[in-house]
Structures are given as structure tokens and as C-alpha cells.
Amino acid sequence: MRCLARLSSKALLVLCSLLALLSLLLWTRCSHHSQTPPKPPEHPRIPDSEEASPQDQPKAPGIPGSAGKAAPRYEEIDCVINEEHTVKGRREGSEVFLPFSWVEKYFQVYGRIAQSDGNERFEFSHSYSKVYAQRAPYRPDGVFMSFEGYNVELRDRVKCISGVEGVPLSTQWGPQGYFYPIQIAQYGLSHYSKNLTEKAPHVEVYETAGDGIGVGNGVGNGEWTVPKGCSLTTVWDKARLTAVKQFSCPESSEGVSLELNNGRDFIISFDLKLLGNGSVSVVLETTERSQPFTVHYVSSTQLIALRDRDIFYGIGARAAWSTLTRDLLTDLRKGVGLSNTKAVKQTKIMPKRVLRLVAKGRGLLDNVTVSATAHMAAFFAASRWLLRNQDERGGWPIMVTRKLGEGFKSLDPGWYSAMAQGQAMSTLVRAYQLTKEPAFLGAALRATAPFKLPAEQRGVKAVFMNRHEWYEEYPTTPSSFVLNGFMYSLIGLYDLKETAGEKLGKEARLLYERGMESLKAMLPLFDTGSGSVYDLRHFMLGTAPNLARWDYHTTHINQLQLLSSIDDAPLFRDFLKRWKSYLRGGRAKHN
């Protein structure tokens, strides 16, 4: 009995030990499950910005080398902002993380999740705009700033490229559209700059009417189709001293057509003379799988119209020989996106293939080509528009009302802009350098006249503190002193004085020198310590400063880079260094 009792005590002790160990294991496992971190709060979708990089759905940042390890243990925590409102954040020990969707708006910074070497990473940026390397030294016949990167015609505030004038029509301040000299000069300068920086384009010749170029019907790479009731003949043009194609087709017919079948390039060009009403149309296969779109260039003054899958551009009477050059991609997208608002509607429709050219009515046709680019055609369209539209006062009046902001009187239609005058000069002197036509230089010289008159006399001159002469982009009352427009006007005056020479360019030289003195004296007024201001309304009106967006701040930097390449003033170097640092979060020292 004594042995049995001893054995039972030992067995009982072992059994209790086993039960205790099992309880400990079960408790540990349950405790591990109970400490799972709370579900991360959902982040709202960050809206894409026109100027910042496209945003992806934000993700919680990973810990380097954490593969296979337990996830960091976050706790949700309320973050009280300025004792005004609360946002949900996360806490990891002593670190607190705020949602980037909140950080982005509060600090006006930018970021996105991107791929790098197969891994995701978060890319943060203090600003969104780019400073371009200055080509030194700047020359009046060279690339204009960084304008080779401008695509003026693709801006959503460009209604279309006029078929009559060959230049953009702006809707920046009104949906009806108007010719804006600044935009037209920039259109010309951008294509001039592209022509200097891009390789020569591929050109396909389809019709030369017997000039011995190409094959296909003996004259070009295209085949003509002439339906019943239409005629197409080769005739000798005495004025051009060349053979041309003469077509005659009722408007109700299919028209004579030239097969193009080009899926590579989308700039079409041809010489045209109409003998009455007529049209030349281009049929396009697009990324939309249904029926093709047809772009019609018709003998009318209608600007642009859209009817189902037909887009119409008026090209005027064309009673004399002229060359029509059109960017079919732009013409298609402006037509499809046509609206009654200031902005052209966005569309994903793109041309895939230029199928054929169709001519109707009566007229003469020659030199049909399709090419990758036609930059000089666009440049000279802008240059010759400036020649035709300069008024007797030497300016290009802007025929739309402009209200710069509260406290400034509205500018009535017919006002001049120093920026328009300056960029027109930069365009015209380049046209003169290429052609040596005196008309281009003469127009540029006459453009100095508004610089000598104050705003109340329909000029563009203002005087700061009764001392410093300034050339106003917007000649408002009171003066506004817009910085970027002033520097563009100085570049134009520099281009003119350098091109015209000492005698003819004397007036431009004096205006330029006075302006540069003012710029050097007043530039510190535009520095905020973390960026720059667009104008001096805070001084003139006693209001809050009009801070320059980052794209305007980088424009200020790019302009100063250009000016510092022709004037090595230490002030410019100092400002360039400081203003570039602001793009990366730099700040001026505090007390």
C-alpha cells in the first residue's frame, strides 16, 4: 500500500507538470494572435495634378530587409493639427507617421510610389518644375531659352491652329477665341528652336505633277483615283514654270483621291490654288476602330466645326498659289475635343494612318508630301502673322479684356504687352537672320515705340518709386510689375540691339540698358526667402504677396540664366544659386 501511494504521487506530479506546460503553450499562442497590429486606415486617392507627376495609390512604407520578419507594430493615433482639426496617423514607438495625402496638401509638396530595379519606392519632391541647362553664350539667332520643349499647339487653352492664318487661336481669357501675340510668338520660337535641336525629318513625296521626283503615276508615290463625272489633268503653270495637277469635281461627288497610306508621319503639306469654291480633305484611320475621321480644309473663313466624324477648317479663298501645311494629329484632336468652354476637351483618339487625300471643286494642286515635322513652316506662319498684324503704333494690340486681379483696373481690348512686344522682336529678328528681308527687321525696330510711353498713353512703361523704368506685361493701373514678362521684354530688346547694329539698334540698346539697371535694383523685391513672387501687387496694393507657382519660379531662373550668360553681374549668380536651392526646400536664414 505504501509503494502504491508513492507511485501515485509521482504520477500525479508528472501529470500536473504536463498540464502546466500545455497551458503555457496555449496562452503564448493566443497572446501572439491578440497582438496583431490594427488594420491600417484607408487612404483617399490623391488626385492627379496637371503640373505634378501622376499619383499612384499610396502604400504603407516597407522596412528594408523585413522579408520573412514580423510586420512593424503600428498603432493608430489621433494627430491634432494646430488645435483646429484631427487626422488619423500611425505610431511606431516614438515615431509618428502622418498620411502623405495630408502632408502633400499642407506643405504643398509632391510624391509618388514608383518602381526602381523591380522594387517599389516612394519618391518625394519639394517642387514639380524643371530648370534647364543654359546654352552659353545666348545668341539672337540660336535656340530661344528652352522653347524646344514647348508644344504650344497642344495646350488645352489653344482652340485650334487657324486654317486661314496658320497660327494658334487662344481661349485663355475667353471661349470665343482670339489671336494672342504672346502665344503666336511662342509658337514660332518653339518651332524655330525645335528645328535647331532635332534631326531633319523624314519626308514622303506623293505628287509633283511631272517634276521627276518619285514613282507612282510617274510623278510621286501615290496613285490617283478619278471617279465618273470628275477630271484630273496635268497642266503647265506659267507663273510657277512647272507642271501641276488640275482637278475638277462637283462638291456632291466623291472627289478625286490620292492614295497616301502613311502610318508613320502626320504632317501633310501641299501647294494649292482654288478656281472658285473647293476643298481638300484628308481621310484618317484612328485608334477608334469604327469609321475613319475626315479632316476637311474648305474655301471659307469658318474657324473650326465638328459634324459626327467630319472636322472642318476654313482656309480662305486660296485664289492665288499658297502652301498649306497642317499637323493632322493636332487638327484631329482639336476637332474631336471642340467645346464651348475655354478648354479643349481631352480625347484619347489618335491618328494611326493617313489613308488618302480627296480634292473637290476646281483648282490646281502640286507638291503633296507627308513628313514627320515642318517646324520652319510653323515658324514663318508666326513671323508673317506678326508682319501683317502690327499696327501703326508699332504694337500688336490684344483684343480681349484682361482683369489681372482685385484692385487693378481692367485692361480694355486693344492694350499692348511688353512681353508680346519683346517676344515678337525675338521672333522677327530670327526671321530676318534667315531671310535678310528688311520687312522683318523694320517691324522689330518699330516695336520699340510702346516702350517709351506710359500705360495711360497706351504704352507699356511704368516707373517704380519714381526711379526705375519697368516694361509691363500688363500695363495696369496701378502698375503691377510682373517679373517674367519684364525679363522676356529685355531678351527681345537684346535680340534687336544685337541684330540691328550700333546705329539702327541705338534705341533698343538704351531701352535694354535702362531695363537691366531696374532689374538689378528691384530683383531683391521678388525674393520671398523660400521662392519668388509673380509681381509686386503686395507693394502696390498692400495685399498679400502673389507667390509664383513653381513653374513660374523656374521660368524666373531660366530667364536669369540666359541674362547672366550675356551679363556676368555677380547679383545674377547669387540669385540663381539661392533660387535653385528653394526648389529643393532651401530657406533663407532667420533671425
Side-chain angles (χ1 to χ4, degrees):
M1 289 295 293
R2 189 178 301 164
C3 290
L4 183 61
R6 189 179 297 118
L7 181 63
S8 298
S9 298
K10 289 181 179 179
L12 185 62
L13 182 63
V14 170
L15 182 61
C16 289
S17 299
L18 287 173
L19 287 172
L21 180 62
L22 181 61
S23 298
L24 179 64
L25 287 171
L26 288 172
W27 180 84
T28 302
R29 185 171 181 181
C30 292
S31 174
H32 173 74
H33 281 295
S34 68
Q35 293 180 18
T36 300
K39 181 181 177 181
E42 293 186 0
H43 289 261
R45 175 72 179 178
I46 301 174
D48 290 338
S49 167
E50 270 187 24
E51 294 160 334
S53 301
Q55 304 291 338
D56 297 321
Q57 185 70 22
K59 298 180 176 66
I63 306 299
S66 62
K69 298 182 180 180
R73 295 177 180 176
Y74 292 119
E75 296 176 358
E76 193 173 89
I77 187 171
D78 286 342
C79 300
V80 181
I81 309 300
N82 298 327
E83 298 184 355
E84 292 178 347
H85 63 278
T86 302
V87 297
K88 293 292 183 182
R90 293 181 181 180
R91 176 181 177 181
E92 181 189 0
S94 61
E95 281 282 10
V96 174
F97 301 90
L98 285 160
F100 184 73
S101 56
W102 178 85
V103 172
E104 180 180 38
K105 293 176 182 177
Y106 189 85
F107 293 102
Q108 295 184 2
V109 291
Y110 309 90
R112 64 172 184 168
I113 294 174
Q115 293 285 333
S116 177
D117 298 326
N119 297 314
E120 284 187 336
R121 70 179 186 185
F122 186 77
E123 296 177 347
F124 174 89
S125 177
H126 185 76
S127 60
Y128 59 76
S129 198
K130 180 180 179 181
V131 173
Y132 291 88
Q134 171 61 35
R135 298 172 179 84
Y138 172 76
R139 302 193 320 271
D141 62 346
V143 172
F144 188 84
M145 282 185 49
S146 56
F147 273 38
E148 74 276 13
Y150 279 34
N151 294 296
V152 175
E153 54 268 48
L154 298 183
R155 296 173 183 170
D156 63 359
R157 296 297 178 91
V158 170
K159 193 178 189 74
C160 66
I161 303 299
S162 164
V164 175
E165 301 287 352
V167 295
L169 204 78
S170 178
T171 56
Q172 187 167 347
W173 299 315
Q176 74 282 0
Y178 55 93
F179 291 112
Y180 188 31
I182 290 175
Q183 196 175 78
I184 292 168
Q186 290 186 352
Y187 176 70
L189 290 167
S190 68
H191 282 284
Y192 180 92
S193 300
K194 289 175 192 289
N195 187 64
L196 291 178
T197 55
E198 295 179 4
K199 64 181 182 180
H202 172 262
V203 181
E204 192 77 27
V205 180
Y206 289 93
E207 177 59 69
T208 59
D211 291 347
I213 301 174
V215 292
N217 279 357
V219 283
N221 295 327
E223 296 287 339
W224 285 97
T225 300
V226 184
K228 187 176 180 179
C230 298
S231 67
L232 181 70
T233 56
T234 302
V235 299
W236 183 259
D237 188 278
K238 294 180 181 179
R240 293 165 63 89
L241 297 177
T242 184
V244 300
K245 286 293 185 183
Q246 180 168 319
F247 60 90
S248 178
C249 273
E251 286 290 336
S252 58
S253 70
E254 296 176 10
V256 297
S257 62
L258 175 64
E259 193 73 18
L260 303 176
N261 198 30
N262 191 320
R264 173 175 174 170
D265 302 318
F266 298 99
I267 308 290
I268 193 164
S269 181
F270 48 87
D271 297 339
L272 178 66
K273 179 181 178 181
L274 292 174
L275 307 173
N277 292 333
S279 67
V280 177
S281 306
V282 182
V283 182
L284 297 172
E285 178 187 345
T286 72
T287 50
E288 230 184 34
R289 293 184 178 180
S290 50
Q291 294 296 314
F293 279 86
T294 303
V295 184
H296 305 272
Y297 303 105
V298 299
S299 57
S300 75
T301 55
Q302 181 180 37
L303 179 63
I304 182 174
L306 173 66
R307 298 173 199 156
D308 194 18
R309 305 181 77 80
D310 293 286
I311 301 165
F312 298 86
Y313 289 88
I315 59 171
R318 302 278 168 168
W321 278 107
S322 63
T323 301
L324 186 67
T325 302
R326 302 298 297 185
D327 183 337
L328 295 169
L329 185 150
T330 300
D331 284 351
L332 172 69
R333 289 172 67 83
K334 296 296 182 182
V336 172
L338 187 63
S339 74
N340 293 321
T341 65
K342 290 182 181 180
V344 174
K345 290 184 292 187
Q346 295 297 309
T347 176
K348 294 181 179 179
I349 298 174
M350 299 284 285
K352 285 180 63 177
R353 185 172 296 276
V354 187
L355 298 177
R356 59 188 173 274
L357 176 148
V358 180
K360 295 182 181 182
R362 292 179 61 246
L364 304 167
L365 197 62
D366 196 12
N367 296 329
V368 180
T369 64
V370 175
S371 61
T373 60
H375 295 312
M376 294 315 288
F379 169 71
F380 278 112
S383 302
R384 297 198 182 280
W385 185 93
L386 292 169
L387 270 187
R388 291 192 303 272
N389 290 276
Q390 187 179 35
D391 68 11
E392 69 283 354
R393 299 167 61 93
W396 288 273
I398 298 169
M399 305 308 295
V400 65
T401 300
R402 174 70 171 122
K403 176 71 172 175
L404 188 60
E406 288 300 321
F408 293 111
K409 291 183 180 179
S410 294
L411 293 170
D412 295 327
W415 55 279
Y416 301 121
S417 166
M419 180 173 168
Q421 299 296 118
Q423 293 201 319
M425 290 177 189
S426 295
T427 306
L428 290 166
V429 299
R430 284 165 169 77
Y432 173 73
Q433 298 265 18
L434 288 172
T435 66
K436 301 304 178 185
E437 291 183 25
F440 289 120
L441 183 58
L445 290 168
R446 289 192 298 276
T448 60
F451 286 78
K452 296 175 285 186
L453 296 174
E456 54 268 24
Q457 296 179 31
R458 289 192 64 205
V460 298
K461 186 175 77 171
V463 181
F464 184 75
M465 299 290 289
N466 298 316
R467 183 173 181 180
H468 301 296
E469 292 189 7
W470 189 274
Y471 311 130
E472 291 274 55
E473 178 179 352
Y474 304 109
T476 53
T477 303
S479 301
S480 44
F481 301 102
V482 175
L483 180 58
N484 84 91
F486 178 56
M487 288 196 281
Y488 274 130
S489 73
L490 293 179
I491 297 169
L493 289 167
Y494 175 83
D495 288 344
L496 178 55
K497 82 177 185 68
E498 291 293 300
T499 303
E502 186 174 350
K503 184 178 179 180
L504 289 176
K506 180 180 179 181
E507 197 164 68
R509 178 177 59 80
L510 292 173
L511 290 168
Y512 169 77
E513 290 173 352
R514 290 175 195 152
M516 286 294 277
E517 289 175 8
S518 298
L519 178 64
K520 292 170 185 177
M522 295 174 62
L523 199 55
L525 301 177
F526 292 87
D527 193 328
T528 69
S530 59
S532 56
V533 290
Y534 177 81
D535 53 29
L536 295 184
R537 68 181 63 192
H538 57 293
F539 185 89
M540 302 303 297
L541 299 174
T543 61
N546 186 21
L547 300 179
R549 300 193 313 252
W550 286 121
D551 49 341
Y552 274 105
H553 183 69
T554 52
T555 295
H556 294 159
I557 293 172
N558 290 329
Q559 291 172 315
L560 283 177
Q561 285 186 152
L562 185 154
L563 292 172
S564 69
S565 76
I566 56 182
D567 184 326
D568 61 356
L571 176 80
F572 290 157
R573 292 197 299 272
D574 293 343
F575 267 80
L576 282 169
K577 181 179 179 181
R578 188 160 66 249
W579 283 11
K580 285 180 180 179
S581 76
Y582 296 162
L583 295 169
R584 302 184 299 276
R587 296 284 190 276
K589 293 180 180 179
H590 56 73
N591 58 7

